[in-house]
Amino acid sequence: MTDEDYMTLALGEAQKALQADEIPIGCIIVSQNRIIGRGHNLTETLQDVTAHAEIQAITAAAATLGGKYLKDCTLYVTVEPCIMCAGAIGWAQISRLVYGTSDEKKGYTRFAPQALHPKCSITQGVRADECKQLIQTFFKNKRS
Amino acid sequence: MTDEDYMTLALGEAQKALQADEIPIGCIIVSQNRIIGRGHNLTETLQDVTAHAEIQAITAAAATLGGKYLKDCTLYVTVEPCIMCAGAIGWAQISRLVYGTSDEKKGYTRFAPQALHPKCSITQGVRADECKQLIQTFFKNKRS
């Protein structure tokens, strides 16, 4: 499985959000080639601003592992994490972050560049066009 | 009820965390003089890094109100929020933040000063000594 393959699975999670009329963002967490957590944005469904894809995937992954630190895990998310989610990724000590499209308005790289664990490696731009198009189509349909 | 009174209630939440052998941080959310959400740190109990006092209180308050935005609410927390929690406070559009003691190592003012909603007003230092002492005693006992 490549980064592109895993991002395709994260896009599948984002599709679940879209079907629930949520901003389509999806996330999976992988440890030793095994998916240990999944999540998609559910802020409207749950009426809870904390119900971002990453937060749910981190909670799920910790439950799978039986421990709160996700040190040797890779988190794949379709959109650059926000401040809140980057903070959570930092607390979980996730060792690698892979994201699709950047979020210039709300992304952590602009507002909290030191949020992640210092040893976390970051890859951006994986399936970026598909990740971005999903978001753009959602908002375009909302406005029309 | 004054800010000091509400912070005393947040300290009561922190005591619950202490009794569960958790880092003692507590939070309450108030709307129109009514407590609509409470939370205390449960990261060890739940083995979940996202289980901070503020995150739980925000989720509880949104459930109480039946809506995810907490625009006319005040969040009282015994310790300066971290990046993750400040991001959540920002998303919830909480209009006022009151915290006790500062957190120079992990506090949002150092790492994500723009995390809160631009209109959020901030008061710090309420019952700061009690809030700080509770944390310091916890860590002192852990080390001994």
Side-chain angles (χ1 to χ4, degrees):
Chain A
M1 293 277 279
T2 65
D3 280 348
E4 284 71 20
D5 294 333
Y6 284 125
M7 191 60 81
T8 300
L9 297 177
L11 276 161
E13 286 296 314
Q15 287 286 353
K16 292 181 192 171
L18 186 68
Q19 285 160 20
D21 202 29
E22 299 271 1
I23 297 174
I25 300 174
C27 178
I28 63 165
I29 298 176
V30 175
S31 172
Q32 297 176 317
N33 299 314
R34 183 171 151 239
I35 295 169
I36 59 166
R38 296 169 180 269
H40 57 276
N41 178 36
L42 281 173
T43 50
E44 291 300 324
T45 305
L46 299 179
Q47 283 294 297
D48 184 346
V49 297
T50 73
H52 283 196
E54 300 96 314
I55 300 289
Q56 307 206 53
I58 287 169
T59 298
T64 302
L65 291 184
K68 65 180 179 165
Y69 294 120
L70 308 173
K71 288 186 185 182
D72 296 313
C73 298
T74 300
L75 185 145
Y76 293 85
V77 61
T78 56
V79 178
E80 180 188 344
C82 70
I83 296 173
M84 173 180 74
C85 292
I89 292 165
W91 281 120
Q93 299 183 22
I94 284 172
S95 55
R96 186 165 177 247
L97 165 66
V98 181
Y99 64 88
T101 188
S102 296
D103 183 349
E104 288 170 20
K105 284 189 184 168
K106 293 286 187 179
Y108 82 96
T109 53
R110 179 174 167 194
F111 295 104
Q114 292 175 285
L116 306 186
H117 194 272
K119 290 182 182 171
C120 184
S121 78
I122 300 152
T123 303
Q124 58 167 293
V126 175
R127 295 210 185 280
D129 289 345
E130 290 159 80
C131 296
K132 187 177 184 177
Q133 195 169 22
L134 199 57
I135 295 280
Q136 284 183 332
T137 303
F138 174 81
F139 282 112
K140 193 176 171 187
N141 290 341
K142 281 283 166 193
R143 282 192 297 266
S144 63
Chain B
M1 293 278 279
T2 64
D3 280 350
E4 284 71 20
D5 294 333
Y6 283 124
M7 191 60 81
T8 300
L9 297 177
L11 277 160
E13 286 297 314
Q15 286 286 352
K16 292 181 192 170
L18 187 67
Q19 285 160 20
D21 202 29
E22 299 272 1
I23 297 174
I25 300 175
C27 178
I28 63 166
I29 298 176
V30 175
S31 172
Q32 297 177 316
N33 299 314
R34 184 170 149 240
I35 296 169
I36 60 167
R38 296 169 179 270
H40 56 276
N41 178 36
L42 282 172
T43 50
E44 291 300 324
T45 305
L46 299 178
Q47 283 293 298
D48 184 347
V49 297
T50 74
H52 282 198
E54 300 95 314
I55 299 291
Q56 307 207 52
I58 288 169
T59 298
T64 301
L65 292 184
K68 65 180 178 164
Y69 294 121
L70 308 173
K71 287 186 184 180
D72 297 313
C73 299
T74 300
L75 185 146
Y76 294 85
V77 61
T78 56
V79 178
E80 180 188 345
C82 71
I83 296 173
M84 172 181 74
C85 292
I89 292 165
W91 280 120
Q93 299 183 21
I94 283 172
S95 54
R96 186 164 176 246
L97 165 65
V98 181
Y99 63 88
T101 188
S102 296
D103 183 349
E104 287 170 20
K105 285 189 182 167
K106 293 286 188 179
Y108 82 96
T109 53
R110 180 174 166 193
F111 295 105
Q114 292 175 285
L116 306 187
H117 193 272
K119 290 183 182 171
C120 184
S121 78
I122 300 152
T123 303
Q124 58 168 291
V126 176
R127 295 208 184 280
D129 289 345
E130 289 160 80
C131 296
K132 187 176 183 178
Q133 196 170 21
L134 199 58
I135 295 281
Q136 284 183 332
T137 304
F138 174 82
F139 282 112
K140 193 177 171 189
N141 290 341
K142 280 285 166 194
R143 282 193 296 266
S144 64

